[in-house]
Amino acid sequence: MTPPPCSVGNDPINSDVGLSLDSNPEQRLTETPMKDLHQQKLDGDVSNLNLGELDLTTDEFILDEVDIHIQANLEDDLVKEALKTGVDLRQYSKQVEAELQRIEQASIRDYIKESQNIALLHNQITACDSILERMEGMLSGFQSDLSSISSEIQTLQQQSVSMNVRLKNRQGVRGHLSQLVDELVVPGLMISTILDSPVTDQDFLEQLHELNNKINFAKELSFRETLACSDIQDIVDRLRLKAVTKIREFILQKIYSFRKPMTNYQIPQNTLLKYRFFYQFLLANERTVAKEIRDEYVDTMSKIYYSYFKSYSSRLLKVQYEEVADKDDLMGVEDTAKKGFFSKPSLKSRNTIFTLGQRGAVLSPAELEGAILVPHTAQRGESRFPYETLFRSQHYALLDNGCREFLFLSDFFMVTGNSALDLFNSIMGKTLSMILKSMSTYVSDCYDSIAVFLCIHIVLRFRAITAKRNIPALDKYWEAVLELLWPRFELILEMNIHSIRNTDPQKLGVLDTRPHYITRRYAEFSSAIVSINQTFPNERTNTLLGQLQVEVENFVLKMAAEFPSRRDQLIFLINNYDMMLSVLMERAADDSKEVESFQQLLHARSQEFIEELLSAPFGGMISFVKEAEALMENGQLERLKNEEARITQLVRGFSSSWKQSVETMSHDVMRSFTNFKNGTSIIQGALTQLIQSYHSFHKVLSQPVFRSLSVRSELINLHHLMVELKKHKPNF
């Protein structure tokens, strides 16, 4: 048999007691102290461990389970406490049993006492069960309703997605249809504006844009074979024809206004630019009319430019200097060949040929892009100008009008690249050819090389201006002008070179040591060309200038050879070299080849002249010093030991005449050289060399060979000589 359960909690009575305790827990806790409860539990556990009640012979008994059960009860806290205190387990078990009976009786009394409440509670629980049952039915109904609603929601969601797709499709179709209808419909405002409004109204321009869009749209629809296109094609065509007619009349009227005398055609051009869409509309919808307008504009402007520049060019030539250079006005031609040409004091009505003067100002930025000349105003003031000034005015007018015209053509007629250049040439080609022909006629008979060279550099600067403005229209014209001017300039320069080479010095009149007029011409001309050529250097020009310089140097030497004395020859050479160097340094750079060349020539001839100048009064002393120094170098000074008489004569001669000789030399130098600064430099050089020679003379006489000479005491103190010579130093 299975032993009775050992746990108190498994007893039905204990369960009832537990229910009673739950009904009034505070009262039960006061009736049963905590210590008694522990004692009861311990007694119950001990009683349950009564080994005498175990059936050790049964087959169902499992010893291991008993051991486990005993071990578990021994682990109980109450059992441990009872074992520690030495309580009698049997007695303790009886106490527990008695206590349980007492509690059972008390619990029964409590049940009886609370029987009415328990019955009431039972009724209430029954009522609650019925209510909960009804609620369960309602919730079940709600659950079924919710299930059906969920399925309906899913159905509605699917329908909503389907409707949304249909809506988007309809909206897309509506957008296309709306745009199609809007493009197809021709509003009454457009019709009235195109028919009645002037073309200059802003409303007309706006409606013209709309009409152009409708025309393009109708063309697009016609390619798609849209049937609705035929409904509006007729009215759109009539509006297009009306707009083309009004635009044609307006543009032609503006073009014809260019032909009126004294008209500033830039004003109607600016008006046309405001309505550049008109030509775009014609080009897109009526090419025949567009070509008619373009041809009319080309024909009109071509005639206007041709007439203007032909008249302007001819009037400019009327204010040119009356006297111009001809084939006889070359650098090597004698001054008497054309009486008064180079000697006229007034330059107001004549252009200089070899002198730049103020002519170079035409290349300055202020004058280069300044206002053009007004011929009739200049004629009233009796003003005259050199050819390069007229050339600058003519070509600046050409540059200004050409750039403006090219920009107008590119903007209004919507052309670019070669098309723009071709259109520009169709308008300006005749004018440019006329200017080139006129220039060719003038240049072929021009011998003013400075004017031609200035014109070349004007063209180079104007070409740079058009390149900066990004206007390629005149590039070929500039090249044609340069191809016309460069050969002429080189020809004139070569003619001047030949004229100097073929000059006969004996035909140039009376000899004079002052600077020759041919060398002055060369100096002025060379400095002018070098200064102009610095901005845009040209190697061919430099080569020709080098040839010219060689011929001038040869000419100076040929002229100097005409003088009988070497002294006059040197004076002539120094005066001419100095003059050419001074003129060149005013305009050319100090490091130019011409300046360096003449500096070397001037220095060499100046040194030779100083030696020539000192040879007359002091030549004996200088030659003695050179001879003595040469012998000293070879250790042969003893050969001069017997030259006491010569040395005495030199010492006494120098002491007695040096002051008078220096004064005479100074006056002679200042009379011989036209440039006082150059004369002063030569005197200083001569005095410096004299001091150096006299110092060397002192040094030679101090040698042992001459120490016994009594004349050494008559030598002038070198410091005293320097002080005295400074008094003769000229101040200029």
Side-chain angles (χ1 to χ4, degrees):
M1 293 294 293
T2 302
C6 298
S7 175
V8 177
N10 294 330
D11 196 331
I13 297 177
N14 290 338
S15 299
D16 293 338
V17 173
L19 181 59
S20 175
L21 289 174
D22 291 341
S23 64
N24 194 357
E26 294 181 0
Q27 178 180 359
R28 186 56 53 201
L29 286 173
T30 54
E31 291 178 357
T32 308
M34 183 61 68
K35 183 176 181 181
D36 295 338
L37 290 175
H38 288 305
Q39 187 66 35
Q40 292 172 11
K41 186 173 187 327
L42 182 59
D43 294 340
D45 290 335
V46 173
S47 62
N48 290 332
L49 293 173
N50 189 357
L51 298 176
E53 297 178 0
L54 295 175
D55 188 2
L56 299 176
T57 61
T58 178
D59 294 333
E60 298 178 1
F61 178 79
I62 300 173
L63 184 60
D64 292 338
E65 292 181 2
V66 175
D67 291 338
I68 293 172
H69 186 68
I70 293 173
Q71 187 64 31
N73 284 297
L74 288 176
E75 294 295 330
D76 189 272
D77 292 337
L78 293 177
V79 175
K80 288 181 180 181
E81 184 179 356
L83 292 174
K84 287 180 181 180
T85 55
V87 177
D88 187 358
L89 294 179
R90 294 183 183 85
Q91 185 64 30
Y92 182 70
S93 175
K94 291 179 180 180
Q95 290 177 2
V96 171
E97 185 175 357
E99 184 64 25
L100 288 174
Q101 291 177 358
R102 184 179 62 80
I103 292 173
E104 181 181 1
Q105 295 299 324
S107 176
I108 292 172
R109 288 194 297 271
D110 289 338
Y111 274 116
I112 294 172
K113 182 179 179 181
E114 297 294 334
S115 59
Q116 293 181 355
N117 293 334
I118 292 173
L120 180 61
L121 178 61
H122 176 73
N123 294 332
Q124 291 177 351
I125 291 173
T126 304
C128 288
D129 287 341
S130 62
I131 293 172
L132 291 174
E133 185 177 357
R134 290 197 301 274
M135 291 181 64
E136 182 180 5
M138 293 173 61
L139 291 175
S140 298
F142 288 155
Q143 184 177 7
S144 62
D145 293 340
L146 288 174
S147 299
S148 61
I149 291 174
S150 176
S151 61
E152 291 177 0
I153 289 174
Q154 291 179 353
T155 303
L156 291 174
Q157 185 177 8
Q158 294 174 355
Q159 293 177 355
S160 175
V161 171
S162 176
M163 293 175 66
N164 188 31
V165 172
R166 291 198 299 271
L167 177 61
K168 288 183 178 180
N169 293 335
R170 291 179 180 180
Q171 288 177 344
V173 173
R174 179 183 178 183
H176 289 293
L177 289 176
S178 177
Q179 181 180 0
L180 177 63
V181 172
D182 290 340
E183 294 291 343
L184 288 174
V185 171
V186 180
L189 178 62
M190 176 185 293
I191 297 173
S192 60
T193 302
I194 296 297
L195 294 178
D196 302 330
S197 297
V199 294
T200 55
D201 284 358
Q202 184 64 27
D203 293 339
F204 181 87
L205 186 61
E206 292 176 357
Q207 294 301 326
L208 188 66
H209 277 280
E210 292 296 328
L211 177 59
N212 189 56
N213 292 334
K214 292 186 180 299
I215 293 173
N216 293 333
F217 190 72
K219 291 179 181 178
E220 182 180 352
L221 291 180
S222 64
F223 288 120
R224 299 178 184 177
E225 298 181 356
T226 304
L227 297 178
C229 178
S230 59
D231 296 338
I232 63 164
Q233 191 65 47
D234 181 59
I235 188 170
V236 168
D237 289 342
R238 284 188 287 176
L239 287 176
R240 177 179 60 81
L241 292 176
K242 183 62 177 179
V244 167
T245 302
K246 296 177 71 173
I247 291 172
R248 175 182 176 277
E249 293 176 356
F250 171 76
I251 296 179
L252 288 178
Q253 181 183 1
K254 291 297 180 184
I255 294 175
Y256 293 152
S257 67
F258 296 168
R259 302 176 180 178
K260 296 180 181 179
M262 306 301 292
T263 298
N264 184 0
Y265 62 88
Q266 296 175 9
I267 296 177
Q269 271 187 341
N270 293 334
T271 303
L272 288 176
L273 286 178
K274 291 171 58 179
Y275 302 102
R276 61 175 63 86
F277 180 72
F278 288 172
Y279 184 79
Q280 182 180 349
F281 181 83
L282 294 178
L283 196 63
N285 299 286
E286 198 65 44
R287 287 186 172 271
T288 304
V289 177
K291 184 178 184 302
E292 176 190 3
I293 289 176
R294 176 169 166 169
D295 294 343
E296 193 66 33
Y297 178 85
V298 169
D299 181 65
T300 300
M301 293 307 298
S302 176
K303 292 178 180 178
I304 289 175
Y305 282 125
Y306 182 82
S307 175
Y308 168 75
F309 278 99
K310 183 177 181 180
S311 173
Y312 185 66
S313 300
S314 62
R315 291 182 180 181
L316 280 178
L317 293 177
K318 293 180 181 179
V319 295
Q320 186 184 5
Y321 284 136
E322 294 179 358
E323 294 187 14
V324 295
D326 56 28
K327 62 181 179 179
D328 295 325
D329 295 319
L330 299 175
M331 196 175 297
V333 175
E334 58 271 19
D335 206 7
T336 57
K338 190 172 182 181
K339 186 177 180 181
F341 187 86
F342 293 100
S343 60
K344 284 188 177 180
S346 176
L347 297 178
K348 293 183 178 179
S349 61
R350 183 179 59 82
N351 180 23
T352 56
I353 299 175
F354 301 107
T355 303
L356 183 62
Q358 298 300 319
R359 298 169 69 182
V362 73
L363 299 178
S364 64
E367 189 167 341
L368 188 68
E369 299 184 55
I372 63 174
L373 292 177
V374 181
H376 62 271
T377 303
Q379 283 180 318
R380 285 201 300 265
E382 296 184 355
S383 299
R384 292 292 182 267
F385 303 93
Y387 178 73
E388 65 271 8
T389 301
L390 309 181
F391 181 89
R392 196 280 318 174
S393 182
Q394 178 191 40
H395 281 79
Y396 187 69
L398 179 63
L399 181 148
D400 190 47
N401 285 276
C403 290
R404 184 180 291 107
E405 186 64 30
F406 183 79
L407 292 175
F408 173 81
L409 295 176
S410 300
D411 196 0
F412 185 79
F413 290 103
M414 298 178 296
V415 289
T416 57
N418 292 331
S419 298
L421 294 177
D422 293 341
L423 183 59
F424 178 84
N425 290 329
S426 64
I427 294 175
M428 298 293 295
K430 187 178 179 182
T431 301
L432 298 178
S433 298
M434 180 270 296
I435 296 176
L436 281 174
K437 184 177 180 181
S438 175
M439 190 187 312
S440 176
T441 302
Y442 179 85
V443 170
S444 63
D445 196 35
C446 176
Y447 294 88
D448 187 353
S449 54
I450 291 182
V452 176
F453 198 60
L454 285 172
C455 292
I456 290 173
H457 280 263
I458 289 171
V459 171
L460 293 175
R461 284 162 172 78
F462 281 165
R463 185 172 65 177
I465 291 174
T466 54
K468 185 178 180 180
R469 296 181 182 179
N470 196 23
I471 305 295
L474 294 172
D475 289 351
K476 291 185 178 179
Y477 174 77
W478 299 135
E479 294 297 330
V481 174
L482 292 176
E483 289 176 0
L484 183 66
L485 294 177
W486 273 118
R488 186 63 188 178
F489 171 73
E490 294 174 359
L491 176 62
I492 299 173
L493 202 53
E494 290 173 352
M495 291 174 65
N496 281 285
I497 293 173
H498 289 299
S499 69
I500 294 177
R501 182 184 302 158
N502 299 328
T503 299
D504 186 0
Q506 296 180 354
K507 296 181 180 180
L508 297 180
V510 181
L511 293 176
D512 192 346
T513 58
R514 291 175 297 179
H516 199 273
Y517 59 84
I518 290 181
T519 58
R520 180 170 292 279
R521 293 175 187 174
Y522 163 76
E524 295 287 350
F525 176 79
S526 180
S527 64
I529 299 301
V530 169
S531 62
I532 295 171
N533 200 45
Q534 288 176 350
T535 306
F536 295 93
N538 180 268
E539 290 301 323
R540 175 62 178 164
T541 302
N542 293 332
T543 302
L544 291 174
L545 284 179
Q547 296 176 8
L548 180 62
Q549 180 181 345
V550 171
E551 296 300 330
V552 170
E553 291 176 2
N554 293 334
F555 165 76
V556 173
L557 293 176
K558 287 192 298 183
M559 286 296 300
E562 296 295 318
F563 290 93
S565 67
R566 181 58 180 169
R567 183 175 179 277
D568 289 339
Q569 291 178 2
L570 291 174
I571 293 174
F572 177 80
L573 291 173
I574 291 172
N575 278 330
N576 280 275
Y577 291 153
D578 177 66
M579 181 272 299
M580 289 188 285
L581 182 62
S582 300
V583 174
L584 283 169
M585 291 183 68
E586 289 180 3
R587 296 186 181 275
D590 293 342
D591 58 349
S592 64
K593 294 186 297 184
E594 292 81 4
V595 171
E596 292 179 355
S597 175
F598 285 114
Q599 282 178 339
Q600 295 173 0
L601 291 172
L602 178 61
H603 179 71
R605 295 297 175 262
S606 297
Q607 287 300 118
E608 185 179 353
F609 178 77
I610 289 173
E611 294 177 359
E612 182 75 19
L613 186 66
L614 294 175
S615 64
F618 309 110
M621 182 188 68
I622 294 173
S623 61
F624 175 79
V625 169
K626 290 181 179 179
E627 182 181 355
E629 288 178 344
L631 292 174
M632 284 173 61
E633 290 181 0
N634 297 325
Q636 301 175 358
L637 193 59
E638 293 289 339
R639 296 173 59 180
L640 296 177
K641 185 176 182 180
N642 298 323
E643 297 287 340
E644 181 178 354
R646 179 184 176 189
I647 294 172
T648 301
Q649 182 182 1
L650 291 175
V651 171
R652 291 175 179 174
F654 182 85
S655 300
S656 62
S657 64
W658 73 268
K659 288 186 179 180
Q660 183 63 33
S661 298
V662 168
E663 289 180 359
T664 302
M665 184 175 62
S666 298
H667 291 302
D668 189 21
V669 168
M670 300 312 297
R671 287 195 306 267
S672 299
F673 298 103
T674 56
N675 186 350
F676 289 156
K677 183 178 179 181
N678 185 43
T680 302
S681 176
I682 290 175
I683 292 175
Q684 289 178 351
L687 295 179
T688 301
Q689 188 165 335
L690 176 61
I691 293 173
Q692 292 175 350
S693 298
Y694 197 68
H695 178 263
S696 299
F697 189 54
H698 267 260
K699 187 176 179 181
V700 170
L701 295 183
S702 66
Q703 297 298 315
V705 178
F706 304 113
R707 285 180 183 176
S708 61
L709 296 177
S710 59
V711 77
R712 288 181 68 248
S713 61
E714 299 180 21
L715 288 171
I716 300 174
N717 183 270
L718 191 61
H719 179 70
H720 175 72
L721 179 63
M722 294 174 63
V723 172
E724 290 296 325
L725 288 178
K726 285 183 179 179
K727 296 179 181 179
H728 294 274
K729 179 182 177 181
N731 296 315
F732 294 100

